Amino acid sequence: MQKGKLLIIDDEDRLRKLLSRIMQLEGYEVAEAATAKEGLKKLEQDTFDVILSDVKLPDMNGIELTQKIKEGWPATEVIVITAYGTISDGVTAIKNGAFDYITKGDDNDKIVPLVSKAMDKAYLQRRVLELENKLSSRFGFERIIGTSAAITEAVDLARKVAVTDTTVLLLGETGTGKEVFAEAIHQASSRKTKAFVAVNCSAFTKELLESELFGYKAGAFTNALKDKKGLFEEASGGTIFLDEIGELDLDLQAKLLRVLESQQFIKIGDTRPTQVNVRIITATNRDLLAETTKGTFRLDIYYRLSVFQITLPPLSERKKDIKLLAAFFVQYFAAKVKKPVSQLSQTFIEKLETYNWPGNIRELKNSIERAMILADENGLNESLLPINLQEQILSNLPDQPQSFNLDSIEKLHIQRVLNHTKGNRTETARLLNIGIATLYRKLKEYGLD
């Protein structure tokens, strides 16, 4: 089994072929190049884990080549070999990113284990890059589904602010995906390799939230038996997301203001400040400016939090995205409930698009999950939707047909009876006093199937 891919760059044919043969016997896949230009071309055409490069090449110094390789292919490790090693050359090679620097007189004993160690490091680096890419696709902007103008504008704003360290305030109704946006901003920032910590400020009492956010010293209160790190410390170097920030107590708002201004806070029971380096993203469904006039939210902290605001649109304002979101959730829950992916009929989509979705994306997700659990081999139909959703859809139907054409009146009547029977077509045919085959023909004719 091959253990990795190795590129040997050396203008001495005999030595290059000897090294190549030795490494092939060790199980490596080996390529050769006689010049730096040839080596760089091979790197552009293929992926190599480790490169063995001579210092003295016809067209470039091997130490300069190392720098070029690390700039273009950072996950690839470079071992520099030379006939005349000097300490200064070795130091420069390491500074330029070389894994190691050895003289040709030592290579017989050292080269094989050295290449093995470099391969291990290269493998770990590639795994880290793969995991980072997976993490980015799982929690990045790719996770935000939709092509409507409203969501596209919000994503564009989030992408622009992500590369900065600016504090962000996410506004929008409950269920619009504020935490998803916060994670995406974090993943697109320079802090993505550090922690992302999410806190719902409405889920704790004032006292408990203070100890969770800022931590405490041993003996600060009863049962404080040892020092506790707060979530701000846990998030240091990364991002902390404070959801439902409008629920934060005034005293805690004052402590948060200090973090915003100086990146410092004092733990419960401590006398010295704790220093952190954290980006703060907050979210709320409240009108914080209105809350400041009531005295429930500090004006100074409002201005610090709202440096960059992004308003997430409700689902009712992005109806064209409902089909995409529904298809995504069907795929997701098909795997979760171990059922084949159901086809979304046009009628089912129309029902979803008719509803106002007061619970936004969260409500749509829950409705699709319920439908997938109840679905049989006939796929998803409107009868699988929650009762409250069906009732609102029914109430949203016009009292009068949009024209006095007989077909329009018949279509509206069939639709109302279908809603009354919760999609039961046999019962619908019975109530309409027509045959089931006739009903199916009319459903297809009116686009209700």
Side-chain angles (χ1 to χ4, degrees):
M1 187 178 78
Q2 289 176 344
K3 298 190 290 186
K5 297 180 77 171
L6 177 70
L7 173 61
I8 300 173
I9 307 175
D10 197 316
D11 61 332
E12 293 185 41
D13 290 348
R14 186 182 62 80
L15 178 62
R16 187 179 68 246
K17 292 187 181 304
L18 176 62
L19 283 174
S20 177
R21 181 58 180 156
I22 291 170
M23 291 305 160
Q24 285 172 344
L25 291 172
E26 291 293 325
Y28 299 111
E29 182 181 343
V30 183
E32 300 177 29
T35 64
K37 183 178 179 180
E38 186 184 348
L40 290 170
K41 186 174 181 180
K42 286 185 180 292
L43 272 166
E44 290 171 356
Q45 297 170 342
D46 203 351
T47 300
F48 293 94
D49 301 296
V50 175
I51 294 174
L52 277 173
S53 175
D54 191 11
V55 166
K56 192 176 180 182
L57 295 169
D59 52 347
M60 187 183 296
N61 183 283
I63 296 172
E64 294 174 13
L65 177 61
T66 298
Q67 187 174 11
K68 279 186 174 293
I69 292 169
K70 295 304 288 186
E71 286 173 356
W73 299 269
T76 299
E77 293 301 325
V78 183
I79 299 171
V80 179
I81 54 177
T82 181
Y84 306 101
T86 67
I87 293 174
S88 61
D89 279 351
V91 170
T92 305
I94 299 301
K95 281 184 177 179
N96 285 358
F99 179 78
D100 210 336
Y101 177 92
I102 61 171
T103 59
K104 290 183 179 178
D106 296 330
D107 63 350
N108 292 337
D109 298 325
K110 293 182 178 179
I111 197 70
V112 172
L114 195 56
V115 167
S116 178
K117 289 178 183 178
M119 285 286 178
D120 289 343
K121 185 179 178 184
Y123 171 76
L124 289 174
Q125 289 186 153
R126 292 199 193 285
R127 286 291 295 148
V128 168
L129 287 173
E130 287 172 11
L131 290 171
E132 284 181 358
N133 290 335
K134 285 181 181 178
L135 196 64
S136 180
S137 75
R138 184 179 175 190
F139 296 110
F141 287 109
E142 295 79 6
R143 186 184 176 195
I144 299 169
I145 298 166
T147 58
S148 64
I151 198 65
T152 301
E153 182 181 350
V155 170
D156 287 345
L157 288 172
R159 285 186 187 277
K160 287 174 181 176
V161 77
V163 296
T164 73
D165 255 354
T166 302
T167 301
V168 180
L169 175 61
L170 300 173
L171 303 171
E173 297 176 7
T174 299
T176 49
K178 294 188 283 291
E179 186 169 342
V180 172
F181 261 78
E183 284 186 282
I185 290 170
H186 171 73
Q187 283 300 318
S189 75
S190 59
R191 297 174 176 267
K192 66 182 180 180
T193 59
K194 303 296 183 181
F196 173 83
V197 177
V199 189
N200 188 329
C201 297
S202 65
F204 302 91
T205 63
K206 172 198 166 185
E207 293 74 17
L208 186 56
L209 183 58
E210 183 175 9
S211 66
E212 287 296 314
L213 289 176
F214 303 108
Y216 52 77
K217 297 294 287 183
F221 50 82
T222 306
N223 296 327
L225 303 178
K226 59 181 181 178
D227 291 356
K228 172 184 169 64
K229 264 189 177 184
L231 294 176
F232 271 101
E233 273 187 281
E234 297 288 352
S236 191
T239 304
I240 191 166
F241 172 57
L242 303 176
D243 199 5
E244 304 294 352
I245 191 66
E247 305 290 335
L248 200 64
D249 181 90
L250 283 168
D251 290 340
L252 294 184
Q253 290 176 33
K255 292 194 78 165
L256 177 59
L257 182 62
R258 180 170 183 179
V259 179
L260 286 163
E261 290 178 340
S262 64
Q263 293 277 295
Q264 289 183 346
F265 59 88
I266 297 178
K267 294 182 179 183
I268 302 170
D270 203 355
T271 56
R272 293 178 301 178
T274 298
Q275 188 77 37
V276 290
N277 171 21
V278 65
R279 182 184 196 170
I280 298 173
I281 301 176
T282 59
T284 184
N285 57 9
R286 292 188 178 191
D287 183 344
L288 292 185
L289 197 54
E291 296 290 329
T292 64
T293 63
K294 298 177 188 176
T296 56
F297 204 82
R298 294 175 55 132
L299 189 61
D300 51 1
I301 198 170
Y302 167 74
Y303 285 126
R304 292 304 300 266
L305 293 176
S306 61
V307 174
F308 198 96
Q309 296 185 27
I310 302 175
T311 300
L312 306 190
L315 195 53
S316 58
E317 293 180 8
R318 41 184 300 215
K319 289 291 183 79
K320 70 175 289 187
D321 295 333
I322 288 176
K323 182 177 181 180
L324 293 172
L325 288 162
F328 172 80
F329 289 135
V330 165
Q331 291 273 357
Y332 175 78
F333 288 116
K336 196 171 181 181
V337 301
K338 295 181 174 59
K339 286 187 177 180
V341 176
S342 296
Q343 294 297 314
L344 296 171
S345 69
Q346 185 58 35
T347 306
F348 186 78
I349 294 297
E350 286 173 0
K351 300 296 183 190
L352 298 181
E353 292 175 341
T354 303
Y355 186 56
N356 288 332
W357 299 107
N360 293 294
I361 298 172
R362 189 177 298 155
E363 185 182 7
L364 174 62
K365 180 181 178 181
N366 293 342
S367 298
I368 296 296
E369 181 177 15
R370 178 184 188 276
M372 285 298 295
I373 291 170
L374 298 175
D376 55 24
E377 64 275 6
N378 295 320
L380 300 181
N381 60 67
E382 58 271 23
S383 68
L384 303 176
L385 295 171
I387 296 299
N388 66 308
L389 191 150
Q390 294 187 50
E391 287 174 350
Q392 187 188 307
I393 291 172
L394 181 60
S395 68
N396 286 344
L397 285 173
D399 291 330
Q400 300 292 335
Q402 294 182 1
S403 78
F404 291 102
N405 182 285
L406 187 59
D407 286 346
S408 297
I409 296 170
E410 185 176 55
K411 177 181 178 180
L412 178 61
H413 184 58
I414 292 172
Q415 179 68 78
R416 287 186 173 279
V417 177
L418 271 171
N419 286 331
H420 174 74
T421 63
K422 299 181 176 57
N424 187 321
R425 299 185 180 192
T426 302
E427 179 65 7
T428 297
R430 188 188 69 78
L431 291 174
L432 290 171
N433 196 26
I434 59 175
I436 189 70
T438 302
L439 174 62
Y440 273 96
R441 178 175 56 78
K442 289 185 178 292
L443 291 177
K444 184 173 184 181
E445 180 183 342
Y446 295 136
L448 299 174
D449 55 348

